[in-house]
Amino acid sequence: MRTPIEQRLRERLTAARASGRWRAPRTLEGMQSPEQVIDGRPVLAFCSNDYLGLAADPRVTTVARAALERYGMGAGAAHLVNGHTRAHAELEADLAEFTGRERALLFSTGYMANLGVLQALMGRHDTVLEDRLNHASLLDASRLAGCRIRRYRHGDAEHAAALLEDVGPERQSLIVTDGVFSMDGDLAPLPALAAAARRRGAWLMVDDAHGLGVLGEGGGGSCEHFRLSPSETPVLMGTLGKAFGTAGAFVAGSQTLIESLIQFSRTYIYTTAMPAAIAAATRESLAIAERESWRRNHLQNLIGRLRKGLSELGLLHTGSVAPIQPVVLGASGMATAMADALLERGLLVPAIRPPTVPEGTARLRITLSAAHTETQVDRLLGTIDHLLPRIRGACAQAV
Ligand SMILES: *Cc1c(COP(=O)(O)O)cnc(C)c1O
């Protein structure tokens, strides 16, 4: 006899399969790099978040190997017990300096960092204002914090300010936003959000997972791009698994913020510290990311080249300056047919469909890396150009 749980899970799986929204991981052989073998097939990939091409950098792996010898593999305990090594302490100091904040604190992942910040800062009577298109972890974070949640229209600082007016001035509130949005690569209106927060004595939290390392002359991310001071963006969250090519995340801010997270953040307190070798390797990749500005320049050059090509194909729909470049194709069928046809030709570009994006805006989501070459970008553009009439024709017939 099947238990009710099993019965229901089977029904939901059947429904998910039927909806055409089935998800399954592909298996990558070897390192993250543009040319890779995935599910046994050689492809040129345009979907990783390794924006600066550091995930497989030999200097980073060399440091990691040396740190493995010194510290061993596992941290063995939480930071507050005895898992916090010299390597962790040094990385936190580097991250504070890099971001121009008083202090920084490591978390095991960005997801955990977001959960930990909102839970530590916000109580039942407090209000979090969230952009409608914020990352899932930020939305989950305010739910878990049990605070009041107000979602403002995407990128609309005036709407955020208006919602803030409704919160009593005696109430504590926090505006939370992605710095660079993960689906469209567009930037949050940080200066206007910071001004709105300041007027009401609220704080602004920026999740800069896709901006740090990439935007700003020194890779300081969205805050550097907009020349915002630390006091205008009091809570900065960054991930280490994207542009910095390693794993984990951090929060940077004032002594008061960081000390509060250490005392009150459950996802900091009740979890094992990241392996020290990852912390040591991240110090190296952070230093490279900061120093080798040619990576950012090359990436911007590739972004410009891709955008020019898309524009010539009539496929440019956004002003994104980030390595995330959506190609909106419209119907879900168009986007999946294009992604499938590209894969047949050895190009891995994911199709993003509703409900992840609004109805009628199914798209390819191209992400570029400093590890790509101009020739590879040209190959992608040429293949899209070649396939477009056929895909359009096939989809028109299907309608
Ligand atoms: C990737 C991402 C996260 C989660 O970070 P992980 O370290 O991968 O858990 C959080 N916020 C945004 C905007 C992200 O893109």
Side-chain angles (χ1 to χ4, degrees):
M1 253 250 322
R2 279 188 203 152
T3 59
I5 289 184
E6 176 155 21
Q7 185 60 35
R8 193 166 59 119
L9 289 178
R10 283 178 183 236
E11 284 164 14
R12 289 177 61 197
L13 287 173
T14 306
R17 237 188 223 108
S19 75
R21 287 173 188 155
W22 191 251
R23 302 164 188 265
R26 300 182 172 94
T27 303
L28 172 66
E29 309 290 340
M31 337 190 152
Q32 188 60 257
S33 68
E35 290 189 10
Q36 53 185 236
V37 175
I38 200 158
D39 277 356
R41 175 205 292 262
V43 295
L44 175 58
F46 289 94
C47 49
S48 101
N49 303 317
D50 180 26
Y51 299 127
L52 297 179
L54 293 175
D57 190 287
R59 292 166 294 180
V60 177
T61 51
T62 299
V63 170
R65 250 192 309 276
L68 278 176
E69 293 300 321
R70 176 164 166 200
Y71 294 104
M73 187 65 241
H79 285 275
L80 292 175
V81 183
N82 66 352
H84 185 72
T85 67
R86 174 66 51 202
H88 295 100
E90 288 172 342
L91 175 58
E92 288 181 342
D94 287 359
L95 287 167
E97 197 187 332
F98 175 70
T99 57
R101 272 32 183 207
E102 285 176 13
R103 214 169 151 188
L105 190 72
L106 292 173
F107 283 80
S108 52
T109 70
Y111 215 117
M112 288 295 142
N114 284 339
L115 296 186
V117 169
L118 266 72
Q119 172 260 316
L121 265 49
M122 305 307 282
R124 205 153 56 88
H125 301 293
D126 303 330
T127 302
V128 167
L129 287 94
E130 298 239 15
D131 187 293
R132 282 202 173 277
L133 296 190
N134 272 352
H135 190 262
S137 60
L138 289 172
L139 298 170
D140 288 357
S142 47
R143 281 197 207 110
L144 184 63
C147 56
R148 293 162 35 130
I149 306 167
R150 294 282 176 280
R151 296 173 77 174
Y152 57 89
R153 286 187 294 272
H154 174 54
D156 189 341
E158 275 177 32
H159 191 204
L163 292 177
L164 210 49
E165 292 298 319
D166 290 342
V167 182
E170 74 290 355
R171 295 279 190 222
Q172 176 175 314
S173 47
L174 180 71
I175 302 178
V176 176
T177 183
D178 286 23
V180 176
F181 287 91
S182 43
M183 283 304 135
D184 284 340
D186 53 328
L187 303 186
L190 293 183
L193 290 171
R198 195 173 40 221
R199 275 198 303 276
R200 298 295 292 188
W203 268 8
L204 173 61
M205 171 177 180
V206 180
D207 171 343
D208 212 15
H210 300 286
L212 279 170
V214 172
L215 298 178
E217 210 156 304
S222 312
C223 297
E224 188 190 344
H225 177 86
F226 286 117
R227 300 182 193 290
L228 289 170
S229 68
S231 68
E232 290 172 292
T233 50
V235 188
L236 174 63
M237 194 288 279
T239 60
L240 304 173
K242 289 175 180 152
F244 300 119
T246 59
F250 70 94
V251 176
S254 66
Q255 288 286 359
T256 307
L257 170 71
I258 300 304
E259 207 51 70
S260 302
L261 295 179
I262 294 172
Q263 305 308 319
F264 310 130
S265 181
R266 295 167 66 84
T267 60
Y268 173 77
I269 299 168
Y270 298 106
T271 198
T272 304
M274 67 166 65
I278 292 181
T282 305
R283 293 191 74 202
E284 178 69 11
S285 71
L286 180 65
I288 297 172
E290 211 176 342
R291 189 172 69 232
E292 297 189 348
S293 51
W294 67 261
R295 291 176 186 273
R296 274 178 290 284
N297 298 339
H298 175 55
L299 181 58
Q300 282 304 328
N301 173 39
L302 295 178
I303 293 169
R305 195 176 182 93
L306 176 69
R307 291 179 57 79
K308 180 162 173 291
L310 289 175
S311 160
E312 284 162 10
L313 296 176
L315 288 175
L316 192 64
H317 301 287
T318 73
S320 167
V321 295
I324 301 168
Q325 294 288 331
V327 178
V328 178
L329 292 169
S332 285
M334 272 279 283
T336 37
M338 182 59 102
D340 290 348
L342 285 169
L343 187 58
E344 264 170 42
R345 283 160 183 77
L347 294 163
L348 181 60
V349 187
I352 313 278
R353 295 162 295 167
T356 306
V357 292
E359 208 62 52
T361 70
R363 79 252 337 247
L364 299 175
R365 180 179 182 273
I366 300 172
T367 56
L368 294 174
S369 160
H372 283 121
T373 63
E374 290 187 347
T375 313
Q376 289 171 333
V377 170
D378 292 348
R379 181 174 155 207
L380 174 63
L381 284 165
T383 314
I384 292 176
D385 183 23
H386 174 74
L387 291 170
L388 204 53
R390 221 190 65 198
I391 302 286
R392 284 205 169 118
C395 287
Q397 252 175 16
V399 169

